[in-house]
Amino acid sequence: MSGPTGFWLVRPLPLPVKPFPRETEDSYLWRLSQTNKIPLQRLTSPSHWLLSQRDYVSRLSIVSGQPRASLLKAIPHLGMKKGDPGRPRQRGSYACRHCVARRTGSTHHSVWTWMSCHDQVCIPHRLWIGRAVDDPTRQLDLTEFPDIVEAQRRHYRLLRRHGHLVMDSCYQYGSDFWHSLFQRGYRLSDRAERLRQLSPVTREVRPFDPRRYVAVYPEIVEAISLFASPYWRSLALTDNETKFKEFRAEFNRRLPQERALRTTARAWFLAELKRTAMRIEAAVQHAHPEPDLGFVVRSESR
């Protein structure tokens, strides 16, 4: 959201509101209006009698009672228009409800923040804040699932080691890979046991239910670690059958099946392993193309 106009009633509101780290601009304006009991439309509406020469961020700083630097640090998109190349490529999601309560002093506020696809678990409070959470009340308690919390820690370690370029592609294509695998009958014992613990009354889990993603998250991270490794990814891409079998054996060792795939799905599984590695490699090479050395470089990923 950008500044609504050059006119603004530049006067501090009665109750200042601190921004939440990585909060979206719309979320912050909504909290500011709710705290001060002012309709959002009036908060952002122009004043026809007082002209301010200050820019949008400075005016918001005065109204909210917060330093300009604090607003810019906490709200990544503040003042940026949609399509601005400087806007971070992130998704919107509800912040951990316990973090919000600790920072705002209220259990009734919901805060919408910008997160990357690698933020799935609030480690301090052991809450699932990732995929399929469409309401803070659906942030699942992971106290009884230390392996899921540890998977998030490992996820962050992989991110520091390989960087966003590789990990963004690994997460996107790795998640798609697992979705396709489960549709074709691929079963993992640990995932099935987690689903039973998460749904003790009924085992029916809707397609877009947080429990479905929570149950398989450690396995997704395990697969990501394999595809993110340049060594293992090169074995998945090679046409050498012996080396490709080595990759398959490592995949099966790290992610053993509860039962074997159906005969019709086995060939698809092998092809999909290679296809997923090719997609990741293509995304990495597209962002960092190989230098032109004056001759054609053959790539096994093409």
Side-chain angles (χ1 to χ4, degrees), residues 143-161:
T143 303
E144 301 300 323
F145 301 91
D147 55 334
I148 298 175
V149 179
E150 182 56 36
Q152 177 68 89
R153 292 193 179 95
R154 186 184 185 193
H155 196 153
Y156 285 147
R157 289 196 297 270
L158 290 168
L159 184 61
R160 290 192 294 270
R161 182 185 308 164

Side-chain angles (χ1 to χ4, degrees), residues 26 31 36 43 74 82 107 125 133 143 159-160 164 177 194 198-199 206 212 216 220 235 239 243:
D26 289 343
R31 290 200 301 120
N36 287 276
L43 179 67
K82 292 182 178 179
T107 59
H125 296 116
V133 174
T143 303
L159 184 61
R160 290 192 294 270
H164 275 277
F177 176 52
R194 292 190 201 103
L198 289 165
S199 307
R206 296 176 301 167
R212 180 181 293 271
V216 75
I220 289 178
L235 295 190
D239 292 328
K243 292 183 178 179

Side-chain angles (χ1 to χ4, degrees), residues 79-91:
M80 294 185 182
K81 297 180 180 180
K82 292 182 178 179
D84 191 318
R87 285 172 64 98
R89 295 180 58 187
Q90 298 172 318
R91 63 180 174 84

Side-chain angles (χ1 to χ4, degrees), residues 44 54 57 73 83 120 160 230:
T44 58
R54 295 177 179 270
V57 179
K73 181 179 180 181
Q120 301 293 327
R160 290 192 294 270

Side-chain angles (χ1 to χ4, degrees), residues 45-56:
S45 63
S47 167
H48 295 289
W49 58 272
L50 182 61
L51 175 63
S52 173
Q53 300 300 321
R54 295 177 179 270
D55 63 19
Y56 172 59

Side-chain angles (χ1 to χ4, degrees), residues 242-281:
T242 300
K243 292 183 178 179
F244 184 65
K245 284 183 178 179
E246 184 181 348
F247 176 81
R248 286 168 46 194
E250 181 66 14
F251 186 94
N252 292 331
R253 184 188 70 81
R254 297 191 188 190
L255 297 158
Q257 301 178 55
E258 186 178 61
R259 64 170 182 265
L261 286 170
R262 296 185 297 270
T263 304
T264 55
R266 291 175 186 170
W268 172 89
F269 170 66
L270 297 179
E272 194 65 16
L273 280 176
K274 186 178 291 290
R275 189 178 300 116
T276 300
M278 290 176 64
R279 289 170 177 168
I280 294 170
E281 185 67 17

Side-chain angles (χ1 to χ4, degrees), residues 12 69 183 297:
Q183 285 184 324
V297 179

Side-chain angles (χ1 to χ4, degrees), residues 6-302:
F7 296 91
W8 187 280
L9 180 60
V10 187
R11 184 175 63 187
L13 291 171
L15 300 175
V17 175
K18 291 185 178 180
F20 197 86
R22 297 189 297 182
E23 185 170 8
T24 68
E25 188 172 345
D26 289 343
S27 172
Y28 180 67
L29 291 175
W30 181 85
R31 290 200 301 120
L32 193 60
S33 68
Q34 292 295 304
T35 301
N36 287 276
K37 309 300 181 184
I38 296 177
L40 183 60
Q41 294 77 8
R42 288 195 58 188
L43 179 67
T44 58
S45 63
S47 167
H48 295 289
W49 58 272
L50 182 61
L51 175 63
S52 173
Q53 300 300 321
R54 295 177 179 270
D55 63 19
Y56 172 59
V57 179
S58 295
R59 297 195 302 266
L60 183 59
S61 173
I62 294 173
V63 171
S64 64
Q66 300 302 308
R68 176 189 175 97
S70 298
L71 292 175
L72 290 172
K73 181 179 180 181
I75 306 175
H77 298 180
L78 187 60
M80 294 185 182
K81 297 180 180 180
K82 292 182 178 179
D84 191 318
R87 285 172 64 98
R89 295 180 58 187
Q90 298 172 318
R91 63 180 174 84
S93 182
Y94 284 104
C96 165
R97 62 177 185 268
H98 295 327
C99 289
V100 171
R102 180 174 60 85
R103 287 179 177 270
T104 67
S106 172
T107 59
H108 304 293
H109 280 177
S110 297
V111 176
W112 192 253
T113 62
W114 293 110
M115 297 184 185
S116 75
C117 61
H118 309 294
D119 301 315
Q120 301 293 327
V121 176
C122 175
I123 294 176
H125 296 116
R126 297 174 176 263
L127 282 184
W128 179 262
I129 59 174
R131 296 187 67 179
V133 174
D134 54 11
D135 187 275
T137 60
R138 299 187 71 193
Q139 294 174 340
L140 299 174
D141 185 359
L142 304 177
T143 303
E144 301 300 323
F145 301 91
D147 55 334
I148 298 175
V149 179
E150 182 56 36
Q152 177 68 89
R153 292 193 179 95
R154 186 184 185 193
H155 196 153
Y156 285 147
R157 289 196 297 270
L158 290 168
L159 184 61
R160 290 192 294 270
R161 182 185 308 164
H162 299 288
H164 275 277
L165 174 62
V166 173
M167 290 297 291
D168 287 356
S169 301
C170 286
Y171 186 82
Q172 176 185 349
Y173 296 118
S175 297
D176 293 344
F177 176 52
W178 278 112
H179 179 70
S180 300
L181 275 180
F182 291 133
Q183 285 184 324
R184 287 166 173 79
Y186 199 96
R187 295 292 180 267
L188 296 165
S189 299
D190 290 344
R191 172 182 180 270
E193 179 58 30
R194 292 190 201 103
L195 276 177
R196 282 191 287 269
Q197 294 181 43
L198 289 165
S199 307
V201 178
T202 175
R203 296 187 63 182
E204 294 183 5
V205 181
R206 296 176 301 167
F208 201 65
D209 188 304
R211 291 173 294 181
R212 180 181 293 271
Y213 300 103
V214 169
V216 75
Y217 179 60
E219 283 71 31
I220 289 178
V221 174
E222 188 65 65
I224 286 175
S225 70
L226 194 61
F227 284 112
S229 166
Y231 172 75
W232 289 113
R233 193 166 68 248
S234 68
L235 295 190
L237 292 169
T238 185
D239 292 328
N240 185 301
E241 186 62 27
T242 300
K243 292 183 178 179
F244 184 65
K245 284 183 178 179
E246 184 181 348
F247 176 81
R248 286 168 46 194
E250 181 66 14
F251 186 94
N252 292 331
R253 184 188 70 81
R254 297 191 188 190
L255 297 158
Q257 301 178 55
E258 186 178 61
R259 64 170 182 265
L261 286 170
R262 296 185 297 270
T263 304
T264 55
R266 291 175 186 170
W268 172 89
F269 170 66
L270 297 179
E272 194 65 16
L273 280 176
K274 186 178 291 290
R275 189 178 300 116
T276 300
M278 290 176 64
R279 289 170 177 168
I280 294 170
E281 185 67 17
V284 173
Q285 293 300 328
H286 178 73
H288 289 300
E290 296 177 353
D292 184 4
L293 301 178
F295 56 89
V296 177
V297 179
R298 294 183 60 85
S299 173
E300 294 180 353
S301 64
R302 297 178 181 175

